[in-house]
Amino acid sequence: MFGFGKKKQGLEGLKEQAALYEKKMELTKLAETYYQMGKAYQEQEDLERARLYLERASTLYSNFDEIYDACQGFMEDCDEYIGDLEEEALLGNEILEQVEEKAEELSNAQKYLWGLLSLSRFQVVFQKLADCENCRILGELSRVLDMLYRTVGQNSTEEDWDYSLDFITRYYDFCNSEAFVDTSNQVELDNGTTLQLFDFNGNSTAICLHLFVDTFISVLQGGFDTVEENEDAEVDFIPCTLMADYYLRNYEGDIRQLPQVQAEISRIWSDYELVKSGSIADVIHQVEKYRRMSIL
């Protein structure tokens, strides 16, 4: 029906097929294969991994016009499956719902500080991938973090603004480029697993990060003391530090049981308590600690 006939050799066959298309960067065929993998995982009631591959398929046909045109046969089904999964008890869905509930108890400034703590935990992760082909922009997150918390402390410069606005535009373009979906843009970690740039696709991590930083930059131009009258923080970004796609690719079974995932959930809630009762100085101190830590 979609160029494959029957599900070729089952899920293992689809994985081999995907690996071949990934290597050759045959993105249209890869989108179809990811879609079939998502359905296969769904039939096995592994909804977390179903979401992973359905979202990868969606990103491919959504980001590139020529792939979009070639994927009309299954695109509507794929989008519908993804919509259904948003109502399931998946880890990302559950943590996001809890974050949104907790955020109602915070001021807008506290929400931005909560997001800043989450953002800082991406510095080491991004740096690991910055040397991959066409991924140098990821190494610039350090400078963006410098600007954000200097501005929170009312010490920004015109150069800060010019750079940050340029960065967020380039970052948006990067997240819609072939470099983002190229699975060869990966690094091997000390524990023997691989981290792919495409792992930032899960739960719209790349998009949520862009929205959070873009909105934060816009708000800070008026000064952090005006934040309560300004645009709301994008708290959808906060659960993205779970890095679900990385764990789903590298580990078997329920990722909720992994110590690394449990530790990250604990950090999300300890950050909430910090911004609720601590000072800005306390938050900045924690940001500096996170910037040196690898959450993986």
Side-chain angles (χ1 to χ4, degrees):
M1 182 178 178
F2 302 118
F4 295 112
K6 295 179 181 179
K7 281 185 283 187
K8 189 177 180 180
Q9 303 167 26
L11 186 52
E12 290 306 312
L14 289 170
K15 289 180 181 179
E16 293 175 8
Q17 212 161 235
L20 177 64
Y21 294 145
E22 286 171 346
K23 185 175 182 179
K24 294 182 176 181
M25 283 292 283
E26 296 184 9
L27 298 183
T28 298
K29 293 179 180 178
L30 184 58
E32 295 176 346
T33 306
Y34 282 156
Y35 165 69
Q36 294 286 6
M37 289 175 67
K39 285 182 62 181
Y41 274 117
Q42 194 168 36
E43 290 171 6
Q44 293 185 2
E45 298 186 357
D46 187 343
L47 300 186
E48 294 281 7
R49 290 175 179 83
R51 178 204 54 75
L52 186 163
Y53 290 104
L54 291 170
E55 285 188 348
R56 285 194 171 198
S58 176
T59 294
L60 287 171
Y61 61 66
S62 299
N63 283 16
F64 306 101
D65 290 341
E66 64 277 14
I67 301 174
Y68 181 90
D69 293 338
C71 293
Q72 297 293 320
F74 66 88
M75 204 163 52
E76 185 175 345
D77 282 345
C78 187
D79 288 343
E80 186 173 334
Y81 284 136
I82 292 171
D84 290 342
L85 289 172
E86 290 175 357
E87 305 302 320
E88 296 288 345
L90 304 183
L91 176 61
N93 295 345
E94 291 181 357
I95 299 299
L96 176 57
E97 182 178 355
Q98 293 168 24
V99 165
E100 290 173 339
E101 290 177 0
K102 293 286 190 183
E104 293 178 2
E105 303 171 17
L106 301 177
S107 68
N108 204 24
Q110 289 170 327
K111 294 175 192 176
Y112 276 106
L113 293 174
W114 195 5
L116 181 61
L117 287 160
S118 298
L119 182 65
S120 65
R121 294 202 290 283
F122 277 111
Q123 178 171 322
V124 170
V125 180
F126 271 29
Q127 195 60 54
K128 291 179 185 296
L129 290 161
D131 290 335
C132 293
E133 187 172 359
N134 299 317
C135 295
R136 186 174 299 177
I137 190 173
L138 298 177
E140 298 182 40
L141 182 61
S142 174
R143 184 174 173 183
V144 173
L145 281 163
D146 287 343
M147 185 281 295
L148 289 175
Y149 74 68
R150 274 204 308 270
T151 309
V152 168
Q154 309 297 318
N155 293 315
S156 61
T157 66
E158 192 65 34
E159 183 181 2
D160 284 332
W161 294 118
D162 291 343
Y163 169 76
S164 59
L165 292 169
D166 176 66
F167 167 83
I168 204 62
T169 299
R170 290 184 291 113
Y171 176 78
Y172 177 84
D173 292 338
F174 170 73
C175 292
N176 289 280
S177 71
E178 287 195 4
F180 180 74
V181 301
D182 185 349
T183 57
S184 70
N185 281 333
Q186 66 175 17
V187 293
E188 185 170 339
L189 304 184
D190 292 340
N191 60 11
T193 63
T194 58
L195 170 67
Q196 294 180 356
L197 178 58
F198 209 4
D199 289 334
F200 292 98
N201 186 63
N203 296 313
S204 303
T205 295
I207 296 171
C208 289
L209 189 152
H210 173 270
L211 289 172
F212 173 75
V213 176
D214 190 27
T215 307
F216 203 2
I217 290 170
S218 176
V219 165
L220 288 175
Q221 286 183 299
F224 194 62
D225 54 349
T226 69
V227 70
E228 296 307 322
E229 295 77 43
N230 222 312
E231 195 168 353
D232 285 345
E234 295 284 345
V235 296
D236 288 11
F237 167 64
I238 290 167
C240 292
T241 55
L242 292 170
M243 291 294 294
D245 283 19
Y246 159 77
Y247 291 110
L248 290 166
R249 280 195 316 102
N250 284 284
Y251 297 91
E252 299 293 333
D254 184 359
I255 62 171
R256 297 168 189 261
Q257 306 306 316
L258 292 172
Q260 304 98 305
V261 173
Q262 293 173 356
E264 184 53 34
I265 293 173
S266 294
R267 280 189 286 268
I268 289 172
W269 303 131
S270 65
D271 289 348
Y272 164 77
E273 295 297 336
L274 177 62
V275 299
K276 189 175 181 181
S277 58
S279 66
I280 290 179
D282 293 333
V283 170
I284 297 303
H285 177 70
Q286 188 63 51
V287 164
E288 282 301 295
K289 290 174 64 178
Y290 283 154
R291 293 178 67 178
R292 299 187 295 270
M293 181 185 75
S294 176
I295 58 175
L296 303 179

